[in-house]
Amino acid sequence: MMTMQRLRCATAALALLAATPLAAADLTIGLRAGPDSIDPHWSTLGSQAEALRHIYDTLVDVDDKLQLKPGLAVSWEPIDDTTWEFKLREGVKFHDGTDFTAEDVKFSIDRIPVVTGPMPMTLYTKYVDSVEVVDDYTLRVKTKGIAPALPNDFTRLFVVPSETGMEAGNEEFNSGEKAIGTGPFTFVSWEPKGDLVVEKFDGWWGGDVAWDKVIRKEIPDDAARVAALRSGEVDLINYVPASDFLAMKNDSDLETFISDSIYILNVQPSFEDELPQKVKVNGVEIDENPLQDLRVRKALDLAINRDILVNVVLEGLGTPANQLMPEGFFGYTDKIGTKEYDIEQAKALLAEAGYPDGFEIDLTCTNNRVPGDAVVCEALAQMWSRLGLKVNAQALNGTVFFPAAARQEYSMSMSAWGTLTGEAAYTYGAMVRTADAEKGFGNFNRGEYSNPEFDKVFDEGAQTLDPEKRKALYEDASYIAMEDRALIPTVILQTVWGAEAGTLSFAPRVDQETRAYEITPVE
């Protein structure tokens, strides 16, 4: 492994030989989380997608501000109300030398519902009715009704060869046998919760990349990740913790890169009649679910001091959130103002709902999904204690949290969600819309929230091609969901990366992805 420190020495030596080009080096990145599988259709987690982009390409790509750009498709357009046509990139090769064609895209779309991962990728194919191969480089997708957001969904459509076979599973992908894509790097090895090693693919259609080899080291412990950077074990780290940010920023030997992100920490209450973790009143379990009462949800919302979460708990690395998407996203509504903190009103609402002395409830969160998730979890528990609630806060590793959340084992939970497509259909269709497996809605509606008024407005938006009309409908849907506290957003996170000073040219992305092929050494 050649670290950036060694690279700088090598660069100085090569300066004496101006006619000799600088050879590419290895890049080692320390990351808070890595993939759970090398199968690109296994999970929707951002850390999964980020890692596997190095091996596989998506049909549509996005730039660092989440604007759509060509990927394996060079263009796309609706040819009627329920048909999208995609023109594919010619001359693309898979890592095994075979040609990329429309058959591979069709196979990849058809495969997604077959894969039984912990977080189904059907979120991205929910509008697909059927796929027609017109010729090697033309594909038509018939949709279930009007689907204006289909190209946005296909930013997560990773393409594998049709020869992969529907029977291929995790074992074949994780061993490397089926880990064949068209991406900038080829698979070398992967150790779960350890290192993912990839090597440059000279035949990548996207052009040359700066690194011969990239080693992505999963280091979930924040302190250990920072120590790995300071010791030279890694060249770059993501998710610099708030507690280390100022020291790192003021260290002349280190460089920080900071960006707003799309990730929001949301509290998700359960609306089920029978809670999986029963609430206690005066130490006695009750059969009722207090979270079904809007007054209780409003009380929880009013008791959150978002300024303290941002300025104290996250040490300034965030902004208060008032809905499930950042301002400026397609479907963000201006009708919701700044969330106010009013503990007295919160207490009055709780008493009005029949809980003047509060109750005891469990709150389960992630502790390695994004920076600050565990400390925000604990801070919420403390804030709600002022309401008279006893909150049993527990922060778990994502490998434990997400499968249990999918089984709906939590009465109230908190984790991060990012609107990766930049528009409301992605987030509200997955987290708020009444669950409908046939239509592909509610994949992440773990709290069983259901509001016919919201569904009607959202569904109308999802079937409207006119962008201005669709935007207005999504804004109305956002307002309905947030007024009803379907979920309770807390803070929008900022992201910090760290590297040795003057070694890397790196433009932070709002989706927090660390793409090695977009990073170059400073010469």
Side-chain angles (χ1 to χ4, degrees), residues 274-290 355 359-360 362 392:
E274 184 175 344
L275 287 174
Q277 300 159 306
K278 286 188 178 293
V279 163
K280 292 180 180 179
V281 175
N282 296 322
V284 179
E285 287 186 352
I286 61 172
D287 293 329
E288 294 78 24
N289 176 3
Y355 304 98
F359 49 79
E360 181 179 346
D362 294 331
N392 304 314

Side-chain angles (χ1 to χ4, degrees), residues 19 57 73 101 114 117 144 284 289 318-319 342 345 367 382-383 494:
D57 287 311
T101 70
V114 175
K144 301 170 184 176
V284 179
N289 176 3
T319 55
D342 191 333
Q345 185 183 350
N367 68 4
Q382 293 175 14
M383 290 177 181
Q494 290 181 311

Side-chain angles (χ1 to χ4, degrees), residues 271-512:
F271 291 81
E272 295 183 79
D273 291 334
E274 184 175 344
L275 287 174
Q277 300 159 306
K278 286 188 178 293
V279 163
K280 292 180 180 179
V281 175
N282 296 322
V284 179
E285 287 186 352
I286 61 172
D287 293 329
E288 294 78 24
N289 176 3
L291 300 174
Q292 290 180 331
D293 193 320
L294 177 57
R295 293 168 296 186
V296 172
R297 301 196 300 276
K298 283 184 175 179
L300 293 172
D301 196 3
L302 285 164
I304 299 173
N305 190 324
R306 290 168 173 82
D307 288 335
I308 287 181
L309 289 182
V310 168
N311 296 317
V312 179
V313 178
L314 295 175
E315 300 192 36
L317 293 176
T319 55
N322 67 351
Q323 51 198 285
L324 303 186
M325 300 184 301
E327 186 175 0
F329 276 43
F330 192 87
Y332 177 95
T333 176
D334 292 326
K335 293 180 183 178
I336 303 171
T338 301
K339 290 277 190 178
E340 65 175 310
Y341 168 68
D342 191 333
I343 193 67
E344 295 307 318
Q345 185 183 350
K347 288 179 178 178
L349 283 169
L350 204 59
E352 186 182 319
Y355 304 98
D357 299 319
F359 49 79
E360 181 179 346
I361 190 169
D362 294 331
L363 171 66
T364 312
C365 314
T366 56
N367 68 4
N368 70 332
R369 173 75 172 95
V370 290
D373 46 7
V375 289
V376 168
C377 185
E378 185 59 39
L380 289 175
Q382 293 175 14
M383 290 177 181
W384 287 333
S385 69
R386 296 194 62 198
L387 274 178
L389 301 187
K390 180 182 178 183
V391 180
N392 304 314
Q394 184 180 28
L396 303 174
N397 188 285
T399 56
V400 177
F401 175 90
F402 288 111
R407 296 190 296 268
Q408 297 175 277
E409 294 181 1
Y410 304 136
S411 294
M412 188 162 63
S413 62
M414 187 198 74
S415 63
W417 179 273
T419 304
L420 294 163
T421 62
E423 48 82 45
Y426 174 83
T427 289
Y428 286 91
M431 300 185 74
V432 180
R433 172 60 162 80
T434 300
D436 187 329
E438 184 178 340
K439 293 182 178 180
F441 288 125
N443 310 61
F444 294 87
N445 186 348
R446 310 304 197 197
E448 293 290 339
Y449 176 78
S450 182
N451 183 335
E453 181 188 8
F454 170 88
D455 291 351
K456 180 181 178 181
V457 176
F458 175 83
D459 288 357
E460 186 179 349
Q463 294 288 301
T464 301
L465 276 176
D466 183 278
E468 289 305 313
K469 291 180 180 178
R470 186 167 75 255
K471 182 180 178 183
L473 287 163
Y474 282 157
E475 288 176 2
D476 289 344
S478 298
Y479 182 78
I480 292 167
M482 292 299 92
E483 282 294 288
D484 204 24
R485 273 64 172 189
L487 291 95
I488 301 173
T490 63
V491 290
I492 306 171
L493 300 168
Q494 290 181 311
T495 307
V496 182
W497 290 260
E500 183 185 349
T503 59
L504 296 177
S505 177
F506 173 58
R509 300 177 56 90
V510 297
D511 56 14
Q512 300 184 325

Side-chain angles (χ1 to χ4, degrees), residues 107-339:
F107 171 79
S108 299
I109 294 172
D110 292 342
R111 181 176 185 267
I112 284 175
V114 175
V115 179
T116 56
M119 302 176 72
M121 295 285 287
T122 49
L123 170 66
Y124 304 107
T125 57
K126 60 183 177 293
Y127 293 117
V128 175
D129 184 49
S130 62
V131 182
E132 175 193 355
V133 172
V134 179
D135 57 45
D136 280 354
Y137 300 105
T138 307
L139 190 81
R140 288 181 183 164
V141 179
K142 298 290 290 184
T143 58
K144 301 170 184 176
I146 298 172
L150 189 70
N152 300 76
D153 288 342
F154 280 177
T155 61
R156 284 296 188 92
L157 175 57
F158 291 97
V159 178
V160 297
S162 57
E163 288 78 11
T164 299
M166 287 294 181
E167 71 284 353
N170 262 332
E171 184 177 343
E172 289 86 355
F173 278 91
N174 295 347
S175 69
E177 177 188 347
K178 298 293 185 179
I180 298 168
T182 60
F185 297 92
T186 60
F187 175 87
V188 175
S189 64
W190 176 61
E191 181 183 347
K193 301 305 168 190
D195 294 358
L196 170 62
V197 182
V198 294
E199 290 182 344
K200 179 166 66 172
F201 175 45
D202 289 326
W204 186 44
W205 59 267
D208 193 31
V209 296
W211 314 105
D212 287 330
K213 179 186 292 184
V214 173
I215 303 166
R216 296 172 55 90
K217 301 180 75 68
E218 185 167 345
I219 310 175
D221 182 78
D222 289 342
R225 202 164 57 258
V226 171
L229 175 64
R230 289 188 177 278
S231 69
E233 180 186 351
V234 300
D235 305 314
L236 175 74
I237 62 170
N238 71 348
Y239 293 155
V240 171
S243 57
D244 289 276
F245 171 60
L246 288 179
M248 191 174 290
K249 184 179 179 182
N250 294 326
D251 188 335
S252 60
D253 291 331
L254 298 174
E255 185 173 2
T256 56
F257 308 87
I258 186 169
S259 172
D260 291 331
S261 85
I262 57 172
Y263 284 93
I264 298 175
L265 287 171
N266 300 299
V267 175
Q268 188 165 49
S270 173
F271 291 81
E272 295 183 79
D273 291 334
E274 184 175 344
L275 287 174
Q277 300 159 306
K278 286 188 178 293
V279 163
K280 292 180 180 179
V281 175
N282 296 322
V284 179
E285 287 186 352
I286 61 172
D287 293 329
E288 294 78 24
N289 176 3
L291 300 174
Q292 290 180 331
D293 193 320
L294 177 57
R295 293 168 296 186
V296 172
R297 301 196 300 276
K298 283 184 175 179
L300 293 172
D301 196 3
L302 285 164
I304 299 173
N305 190 324
R306 290 168 173 82
D307 288 335
I308 287 181
L309 289 182
V310 168
N311 296 317
V312 179
V313 178
L314 295 175
E315 300 192 36
L317 293 176
T319 55
N322 67 351
Q323 51 198 285
L324 303 186
M325 300 184 301
E327 186 175 0
F329 276 43
F330 192 87
Y332 177 95
T333 176
D334 292 326
K335 293 180 183 178
I336 303 171
T338 301
K339 290 277 190 178

Side-chain angles (χ1 to χ4, degrees), residues 56-70:
Y56 313 94
D57 287 311
T58 53
L59 191 62
V60 181
D61 200 1
V62 289
D63 64 18
D64 59 354
K65 303 299 182 186
L66 297 189
Q67 298 302 301
L68 299 184
K69 69 175 188 178

